[in-house]
Amino acid sequence: MKNFLLLIGLALAGTSLTGKAESKVYVFDNLGIVGGVSDNGKFAAITDDEQYLAYIWRASNPEELYDITEKGDPSLPASQRPVFTTAMDVSDDGIVVGSIGYADYYQYPAYYKDGEWNKLPIDPDAVNTTEAVCITPDGKIIAGYQYLKLASATGDGASRGQYIPCQWFLQEDGTYELKTYKDIKLPDHQGFYPMTQTPDGKVIGGQVFAAFGSNLNALLVEGELVMFDEITTFKDCLEYKGKYYTGVDENGRQTWTDDINDPNIIWDERELINGYFDGIRGEESMMNGFFTNCDGNGNFYGARSYVTNVTEDHDGVLTNNAVIYNYITDTWYNDKGVSFFSAGIGDQLIFTGNGDVIEGSEVKPVKEAYGIKSSLTINGISKISADGKTIAGVASDLNPAIGEYQYYPFIIQVDGGFNGIPEIAGSPNKGLVIATPGRIEVLNAENVAVYDLNGRLVGTDKVTEVNAGVYVVKADNESYKIVVK
């Protein structure tokens, strides 16, 4: 299959961010980290987890952050009022999603709308930690997690409880209905932690905890779990200097045997990831995969670990790559020289965990690329709007009084923005239509026909050069309406 991301790179060659010199940068004195930026770039959601505060940023008054921390009913005792609020994402009309926490350590998913917070419904099996993590641009679907202890669960990890992904769907009466994905089969560990979802809410991206202590990339595609690594089990025992652990005697002393066939040896079931036993050399040998953001064309940004040269004793060479995965075409873009990709638009505008921005073939530090004048260290970009014109990141400074780093949010408003964002219709199984400025390309279809809105046939080739406008594309037996800029 043709590499989708390379195709987009060729189609967009020569496009660039314009007006960087005129970008407006707002670095705030408030502590906090940006959790989300609305697709239209008008809002940002920010959490200060040191002082337990939540903020919303509005493009209409970009130099201020608005405190939206839930204070609770002042007539209630302090023990019954909220002690923290998180703001994780925001919709195009300013609905903020996050959570409200109390002194008893219970955390409830909630959304902020019209000046007040509203709790979302939770599952009866929820233990004490639930949170709304992201919201679609239209505000109709919220995604998050609940920490559940299921009566039907088996295994050590599941019996303690697991993070289970969930979504809340907006109803006609203005309330949200909960859908908890309890039926997905997860490794016997802490569960699935969601971080992002597609703008239509059909796909949730994040990480699954597995094996000894690794994190693995995972998607939930219309309720079905998709993982990219094979998890198997093997029997293992504690061995020391050629002897095998058999337990303790009546005096509490450890007992050992040198006979590998001794029936008293205590065998534990361990998990392997692609044949690799993570943690074999400590924390540095654990896998780290996750998806932290996605764009509107099916690209998920994050990191993934790969293991090569796996040995008989389940060791191997571990490499961590920054990755972009397109779930529509099932293709990967890898970069071994970067810790992770945090956000982007296709592979033509990418922000890295190293604090750089990659635009086409050009790589620059974010601070230099956008002319950020601040004494703070610019750590990187965490969220962007769909058009790349509103960019939010995190800066830091060492506080000498406490000897720790403190983190500050900043917002960049780009004058110009990224031109040439591709539009995609269809799927790899039924024909995939990709529109970029002046061009329509169709993949995985034998018969192609492109019509304008007047019904005139303008092309029958896999690649058709067209003027800006709206077109109907027939790919075999499927038809799609698509906009060319």
Side-chain angles (χ1 to χ4, degrees), residues 351 355-357 364-372 378 380-381 410 412:
F351 296 98
D356 292 331
V357 54
K364 283 186 177 182
V366 166
K367 192 169 188 176
E368 176 186 339
Y370 295 98
I372 302 175
I378 302 300
I381 300 302
F410 66 87
I412 304 169

Side-chain angles (χ1 to χ4, degrees), residues 117-128:
W117 283 92
N118 305 271
K119 289 182 181 177
L120 290 160
I122 60 173
D123 192 273
D125 293 316
V127 182
N128 59 0

Side-chain angles (χ1 to χ4, degrees), residues 180-482:
T180 305
Y181 298 103
K182 296 181 180 181
D183 297 332
I184 60 174
K185 183 173 177 55
L186 294 168
D188 180 28
H189 214 294
Q190 291 176 285
F192 184 124
Y193 185 81
M195 297 181 179
T196 186
Q197 68 176 344
T198 53
D200 59 8
K202 291 183 178 180
V203 184
I204 298 172
Q207 63 183 188
V208 163
F209 303 99
F212 184 76
S214 287
N215 307 319
L216 304 179
N217 305 77
L219 298 177
L220 196 69
V221 182
E222 298 190 64
E224 298 293 326
L225 180 65
V226 175
M227 294 183 63
F228 309 93
D229 300 284
E230 182 181 6
I231 299 175
T232 56
T233 58
F234 77 107
K235 295 291 186 179
D236 188 33
C237 65
L238 185 60
E239 180 185 359
Y240 181 69
K241 293 185 177 180
K243 294 184 178 293
Y244 306 94
Y245 182 65
T246 57
V248 294
D249 61 18
E250 64 275 8
N251 297 315
R253 290 190 292 265
Q254 294 181 350
T255 57
W256 300 76
T257 179
D258 55 10
D259 181 6
I260 189 62
N261 297 310
D262 190 324
N264 295 312
I265 294 175
I266 297 176
W267 294 92
D268 294 315
E269 191 171 81
R270 307 290 189 188
E271 287 183 328
L272 297 174
I273 304 171
N274 304 329
Y276 173 75
F277 184 23
D278 68 326
I280 199 168
R281 298 181 308 280
E283 290 187 7
E284 76 278 2
S285 61
M286 295 180 189
M287 301 177 72
N288 185 32
F290 57 86
F291 294 124
T292 184
N293 270 311
C294 65
D295 66 15
N297 295 317
N299 297 305
F300 283 83
Y301 300 82
R304 187 183 180 193
S305 296
Y306 295 88
V307 180
T308 56
N309 301 325
V310 177
T311 63
E312 289 186 359
D313 61 354
H314 311 299
D315 199 358
V317 179
L318 187 65
T319 303
N320 192 64
N321 288 0
V323 297
I324 306 173
Y325 174 70
N326 187 280
Y327 85 94
I328 299 174
T329 59
D330 188 27
T331 52
W332 295 86
Y333 175 90
N334 301 280
D335 191 332
K336 294 182 180 179
V338 179
S339 57
F340 68 93
F341 293 140
S342 60
I345 299 173
D347 66 348
Q348 282 292 291
L349 178 66
I350 307 173
F351 296 98
T352 78
N354 301 42
D356 292 331
V357 54
I358 304 173
E359 186 186 343
S361 60
E362 185 180 13
V363 182
K364 283 186 177 182
V366 166
K367 192 169 188 176
E368 176 186 339
Y370 295 98
I372 302 175
K373 296 178 174 60
S374 174
S375 60
L376 298 175
T377 299
I378 302 300
N379 299 88
I381 300 302
S382 52
K383 302 289 178 178
I384 66 173
S385 60
D387 60 4
K389 293 183 180 182
T390 301
I391 300 169
V394 58
S396 65
D397 190 25
L398 180 64
N399 186 331
I402 59 177
E404 296 180 358
Y405 282 95
Q406 294 183 305
Y407 297 94
Y408 303 83
F410 66 87
I411 306 286
I412 304 169
Q413 288 184 299
V414 179
D415 182 10
F418 185 76
N419 300 311
I421 302 171
E423 285 211 8
I424 297 178
S427 70
N429 298 325
K430 295 182 179 179
L432 190 69
V433 182
I434 301 174
T436 52
R439 173 189 174 107
I440 294 174
E441 179 161 359
V442 181
L443 304 180
N444 308 325
E446 293 297 326
N447 300 304
V448 176
V450 180
Y451 299 89
D452 64 19
L453 286 186
N454 294 318
R456 290 179 299 216
L457 180 66
V458 297
T460 58
D461 295 329
K462 298 295 181 68
V463 177
T464 304
E465 303 294 334
V466 294
N467 296 322
V470 180
Y471 295 86
V472 175
V473 181
K474 290 189 176 181
D476 289 337
N477 298 320
E478 301 292 329
S479 295
Y480 309 97
K481 182 181 290 187
I482 198 156

